[in-house]
Amino acid sequence: MEKHTELEQALRDPSLAIITEDIASQRELNRAFGRYRALSMKQKRFSNYYSGEFLGHSVTEMYVLVRDRLKAENDSFGELHLPGEKYAATEPDLYYREDSFNAGDTNICFILGHSGSGKSMMARTLEGDDIDHIELDDLLLTRDHFTMDELKDYSDMIYSFFNGEGAGYYIGVDERNSIPKEEYEDKVFLDFVSFAMDYAGKHRDRKFILDGIWIYLYFDDPSVFEDYAVFIKGTSFLKSKIRATRREMQRDRETLQDRKEMFGRAVRNYLLDEDKIDRYRDFFGDRPETIFREETGEADKKAEITINELRKIDRCFVDGDAVGITEIMQKTETNDELPGWQKLLIINGCRSALFELKI
């Protein structure tokens, strides 16, 4: 009761901006987030501190959670609404024909799951000297992101595609507007997957991993993949969405948006994705070659460490504890287990907080 009272007091404080699950409309949510964005960095830190204390998430994380909850409740696809449990629940990861892939009997593996679910991380646990890992996102506007020499270094398979029968798809943003949708957007993934299956069959000395949302978006029939290894991330829609949002905030927003908008992802939204992924889970789920595992969570653990350290910075900032912030920074600088970008995020957060304390 006391914590609820403290939250009510924080919500009434005009110097703070906190987003709660009580928000009932997108308009109200936008107003609340607008207030947060208008705050000084100091007050944003206070807001994030109290939001973390009372709600378990930063203000930005709460914005994503509430926004997606409102979208699910007001989605225009009628009967497609997902039950709340399914929307938020994470299922075990599915591994179909994993032993066959590890033994080399099957030399191509397709990894499915929501954007942000950890497909690439799953793929990296299997990578080795004899494995080509291709992210299907890289088939979009490829000329703008890879030279042919870079594609050769990236993967023999993807280089062979763009250097051969897929040469017409090797384009950038300047060319895409002159190509009809049905000749590019609706074909590049279909043609590449077909090419990949044939290519893998002719190169039995190597293994290939293809991951991306485009598999279940463009292939309605899971049986197309029953002769190959198929792994499906069970990470929930909601958890995946938060991860994807965090990741995209670290990338070039303009380029990323340009690459994705042309495929109408506003229409092929996460709720539709869940329905398509379920078709694959149902098809492969009861087969004797399939095993299930709970998500290992190594990436999650590191992300959680980063989130906790950022919250500690805010807590120290609220307490005026410059020594505590300095200790967090020094500890992070010597932590060899965190990825470089996560270390930099924490260190920069410490430096910013120390600077603001001196103002």
Side-chain angles (χ1 to χ4, degrees), residues 43-300:
Q43 294 312 125
K44 284 180 180 176
R45 288 192 183 279
F46 274 94
S47 297
N48 282 319
Y49 166 74
Y50 287 115
S51 182
E53 288 292 302
F54 297 131
L55 304 172
H57 299 282
S58 70
V59 177
T60 302
E61 290 169 344
M62 286 303 299
Y63 171 82
V64 173
L65 286 167
V66 175
R67 182 193 63 188
D68 289 333
R69 188 257 298 167
L70 292 171
K71 182 176 176 60
E73 292 174 351
N74 297 291
D75 193 273
S76 61
F77 289 97
E79 298 302 318
L80 193 60
H81 296 307
L82 297 179
E85 299 82 19
K86 185 174 181 181
Y87 177 72
T90 289
E91 300 182 19
D93 295 335
L94 181 154
Y95 295 81
Y96 170 71
R97 302 192 71 179
E98 180 187 31
D99 289 343
S100 177
F101 182 76
N102 287 336
D105 299 328
T106 301
N107 71 328
I108 184 168
C109 176
F110 296 91
I111 300 182
L112 293 70
H114 287 301
S115 180
S117 62
K119 297 184 299 300
S120 295
M121 185 61 68
M122 177 186 273
R124 290 185 189 111
T125 65
L126 299 170
E127 283 191 81
D129 293 337
D130 62 341
I131 298 181
D132 275 5
H133 170 204
I134 298 168
E135 297 188 25
L136 293 179
D137 280 356
D138 292 328
L139 297 176
L140 316 183
L141 305 180
T142 308
R143 184 193 292 275
D144 286 344
H145 307 286
F146 298 94
T147 66
M148 290 303 293
D149 285 342
E150 288 171 335
L151 284 177
K152 196 169 186 178
D153 291 337
Y154 177 171
S155 158
D156 290 337
M157 176 186 283
I158 198 169
Y159 170 77
S160 297
F161 177 71
F162 284 114
N163 194 45
E165 64 185 71
Y169 299 126
Y170 184 63
I171 66 170
V173 67
D174 292 337
E175 297 101 326
R176 76 124 186 265
N177 292 329
S178 63
I179 300 177
K181 179 178 183 294
E182 62 273 14
E183 293 182 13
Y184 176 52
E185 298 175 21
D186 292 343
K187 290 187 63 180
V188 60
F189 297 109
L190 296 172
D191 287 356
F192 180 75
V193 168
S194 176
F195 173 87
M197 291 173 172
D198 183 61
Y199 186 91
K202 295 175 180 176
H203 295 79
R204 301 292 306 175
D205 58 322
R206 296 190 63 81
K207 294 180 181 177
F208 305 90
I209 299 173
L210 277 65
D211 85 69
I213 61 176
W214 314 105
I215 295 169
Y216 58 78
L217 287 179
Y218 282 91
F219 291 87
D220 291 331
D221 182 5
S223 67
V224 171
F225 301 94
E226 64 183 330
D227 292 334
Y228 309 98
V230 176
F231 299 169
I232 305 175
K233 289 295 298 179
T235 311
S236 72
F237 159 59
L238 192 58
K239 188 174 182 180
S240 297
K241 183 68 170 177
I242 293 173
R243 283 183 184 171
T245 300
R246 287 178 184 154
R247 180 186 66 204
E248 290 168 13
M249 288 172 66
Q250 305 299 320
R251 299 175 61 178
D252 176 18
R253 297 183 184 181
E254 183 177 350
T255 299
L256 180 71
Q257 192 67 18
D258 190 39
R259 294 176 79 191
K260 289 196 171 183
E261 275 186 357
M262 67 175 180
F263 286 91
R265 291 292 292 141
V267 177
R268 298 189 183 101
N269 59 35
Y270 275 81
L271 299 180
L272 285 172
D273 291 359
E274 184 70 30
D275 185 58
K276 290 176 178 288
I277 294 171
D278 267 352
R279 186 177 299 142
Y280 279 79
R281 287 196 191 107
D282 291 342
F283 182 84
F284 292 108
D286 61 353
R287 292 178 172 248
E289 305 97 329
T290 295
I291 60 172
F292 293 91
R293 293 196 193 98
E294 295 294 335
E295 188 175 39
T296 58
E298 284 305 311
D300 275 352

Side-chain angles (χ1 to χ4, degrees), residues 307-348:
I307 292 170
N308 287 336
E309 293 303 290
L310 292 173
R311 287 176 179 165
K312 287 179 185 177
I313 295 170
D314 288 337
R315 185 176 296 112
C316 290
F317 182 86
V318 169
D319 294 338
D321 184 5
V323 173
I325 295 173
T326 302
E327 289 176 351
I328 293 171
M329 183 163 61
Q330 292 172 342
K331 175 184 172 184
T332 301
E333 288 173 338
T334 59
N335 187 340
D336 295 329
E337 296 183 1
L338 282 179
W341 72 267
Q342 287 179 307
K343 291 177 66 171
L344 188 61
L345 190 64
I346 297 169
I347 291 169
N348 285 344

